[in-house]
């Protein structure tokens, strides 16, 4: 199968098509997350969760009770409610920033997805060699730096929402959110530096691209096929904790902490403006879990030491059609989404297991524990990688 | 293959702005045609736990947040210098590693200084 026909199409057409596909995957995924959140929280607490809603004219269909019990209709009803209920703007707010904040929250949530590779497929070049091509929207060398640069813009929407509401609870929520986000950004960036030291070690490529990170995890050999979660467990741990803080998930949901700040920065919001914050949070979660899987869990590789390429070669012995680029792309994306799905479940699992931190504990954890740990971790790996290259260049 | 990589960023930026605007517009149209808004003095008042809110919240607040912001700025700029180091690791001589270690120790020293001065203690 050849994709060259596709690449002959005009640029704007491919842009719109690929962009639409990603949005059509991302939005239902975010919606499914919100449903999964309610169901998983219900199961963890030993209650059934939303299971009653059903449009009366559908009730006669046999077997529809399964969908009803899963709460799918509840999800649709919620979506309808957010769009069509009255959307009051409180009298004392700064109207412009009040409306701008939820719109701003969508920008980092949607833009970061264009830097995430989802999978890869083989193309055969003119000289007969096989060449792995990533499935991603914006192929830049910047990769991770671009993700960090865009996603850290998310703090503006939180602080704008908090400030523009002109109410005490949102204000405190907004200020806390911004202090928390900037604190954990440091540990987050420092914790992934060892990964790029390793990727760019002599013989590497000199890149920040997430695709190349996955490529270096799919080499043959013991070290080459090793996922970085085994090679750099401390980095993975610090990154994961910082990811929880950056996405405002429990136990770090200081900006919202409903027991002391009612609803935090979105107390004054309702209807569709509120649901924009909600969608943005889930989109951040999805992209964040995706980045974690790419950096530390081998991206679309099915198992440690088994790369997607060798898996496909193995499977093609049984089913030859698997080797076609289309199948390979779909299989890679499936493995990747499975890992992301597990992490989203993990986010929810932690939310209903750990109690919330107090605010001073959050700041202490960020500045006095994670930051020194990640600096020590960086020094250790910088020295270790240099020593390895000097003494064991063939390892 | 030769797509400009940032074309997608521009596209998603456009979608990210257009999507909320369209949905908010639909909600506004719905309110306009089918369900008139019913504002009221209580409904428009600032949220407070049962009492009337006193005063604005656009006030001076704890300066400690500012200290964290300053510290963040210092560290973030230093980390930005570490990223090119990680990328250029491919071809650097051994001396560069020591230079970089000195730089990281300066970063660590800044943290120790702020810690010793008590700037990291939440008050």
């Amino acid at each position: 199968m050849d994709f060259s026909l596709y690449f002959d199409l005009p640029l704007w057409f491919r842009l719109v098509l690929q962009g639409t596909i990603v949005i059509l995957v991302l939005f239902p995924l975010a919606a499914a997350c919100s449903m999964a959140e309610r169901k998983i929280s219900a199961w963890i607490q030993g209650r059934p969760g939303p299971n009653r809603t059903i449009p009366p004219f559908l009730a006669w269909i046999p077997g529809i009770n399964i969908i009803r019990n899963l709460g799918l209709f509840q999800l649709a009803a919620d979506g309808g409610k957010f769009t069509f209920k009255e959307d009051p703007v409180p009298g004392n707010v700064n109207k412009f920033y009040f409306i701008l904040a939820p719109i701003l929250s969508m920008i980092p949530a949607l833009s970061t997805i264009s830097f995430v590779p989802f999978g890869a497929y083989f193309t055969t070049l003119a000289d007969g060699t096989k060449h792995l091509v990533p499935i991603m929207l914006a192929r830049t060398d910047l990769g991770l730096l671009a993700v960090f640069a865009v996603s850290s813009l998310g703090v503006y929407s939180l602080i704008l929402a908090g400030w523009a509401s002109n109410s005490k609870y949102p204000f405190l929520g907004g200020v806390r959110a911004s202090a928390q986000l900037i604190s954990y950004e440091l540990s987050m960036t420092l914790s992934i530096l060892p990964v790029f030291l390793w990727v760019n070690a002599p013989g590497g490529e000199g890149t920040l691209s997430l695709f190349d990170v996955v490529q270096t995890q799919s080499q043959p050999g013991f070290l080459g096929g090793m996922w970085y979660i085994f090679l750099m467990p401390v980095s993975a741990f610090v990154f994961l904790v910082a990811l929880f803080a950056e996405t405002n998930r429990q136990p770090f949901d200081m900006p919202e902490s409903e027991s002391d700040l009612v609803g935090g920065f979105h107390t004054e919001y309702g209807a569709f403006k509120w649901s924009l914050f909600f969608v943005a949070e889930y989109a951040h979660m999805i992209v964040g879990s995706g980045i974690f899987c790419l950096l530390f869990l081998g991206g679309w590789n099915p198992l440690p030491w088994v790369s997607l390429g060798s898996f496909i070669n193995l499977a093609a012995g049984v089913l030859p059609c698997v080797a076609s680029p289309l199948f390979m792309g779909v299989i890679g994306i499936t493995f990747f989404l499975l890992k992301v799905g597990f992490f989203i479940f993990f986010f929810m699992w932690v939310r209903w297991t750990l109690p919330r931190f107090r605010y001073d504990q959050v700041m202490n954890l960020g500045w006095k524990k994670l930051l020194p740990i990640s600096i020590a971790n960086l020094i250790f790996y910088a020295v270790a990688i240099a020593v390895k290259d000097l003494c064991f260049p063939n390892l | 293959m030769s797509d400009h990589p940032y074309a997608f960023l521009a596209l998603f930026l456009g979608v990210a702005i257009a999507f909320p605007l369209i949905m908010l517009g639909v909600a506004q149209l719905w309110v306009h045609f089918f369900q008139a808004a019913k504002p009221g003095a209580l409904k428009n008042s600032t949220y407070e736990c049962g009492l009337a809110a006193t005063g604005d919240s656009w006030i001076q607040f704890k300066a400690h947040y500012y200290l964290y912001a300053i510290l963040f700025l210092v560290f973030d700029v230093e980390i930005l210098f570490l990223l090119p180091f990680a990328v250029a690791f491919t071809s650097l001589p051994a001396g560069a590693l020591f230079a970089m270690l000195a730089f990281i120790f300066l970063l660590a020293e800044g943290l120790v200084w702020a810690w010793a001065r008590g700037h990291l203690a939440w008050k």
Side-chain angles (χ1 to χ4, degrees), chain B residues 3-21:
Chain B
D3 299 357
H4 195 283
Y6 294 106
F8 284 105
L9 193 60
L11 176 80
F12 275 70
L13 205 65
V15 171
I17 295 171
F19 171 73
L21 284 181

Side-chain angles (χ1 to χ4, degrees), chain A residues 7 14 18 83-84 86 91-92 110 137-138 140 142 145 163 166-169 182 200 268 272 367-368, chain B residues 1 3 5-6 8 12-13 23 27 35 43-44 46-49 54 56-58 68 72 83 86 90 115:
Chain A
F7 287 108
R14 277 180 290 143
Q18 287 172 310
T83 319
F84 296 123
E86 190 191 338
N92 298 321
L110 276 181
L137 293 175
T140 63
L142 283 175
L145 188 60
W163 183 82
N166 192 9
S167 172
K168 270 89 179 174
Y169 302 100
I182 60 176
N200 296 316
E268 296 279 7
F272 199 74
W367 286 93
K368 294 188 176 173
Chain B
M1 289 281 90
D3 299 357
Y6 294 106
F8 284 105
F12 275 70
L13 205 65
M23 292 306 281
Q35 189 191 37
K43 203 170 176 179
N44 282 350
T46 306
Y47 178 87
E48 186 54 79
C49 296
T54 48
D56 269 349
S57 67
W58 295 328
Y68 279 101
F72 164 73
L83 277 169
T90 315
W115 198 330

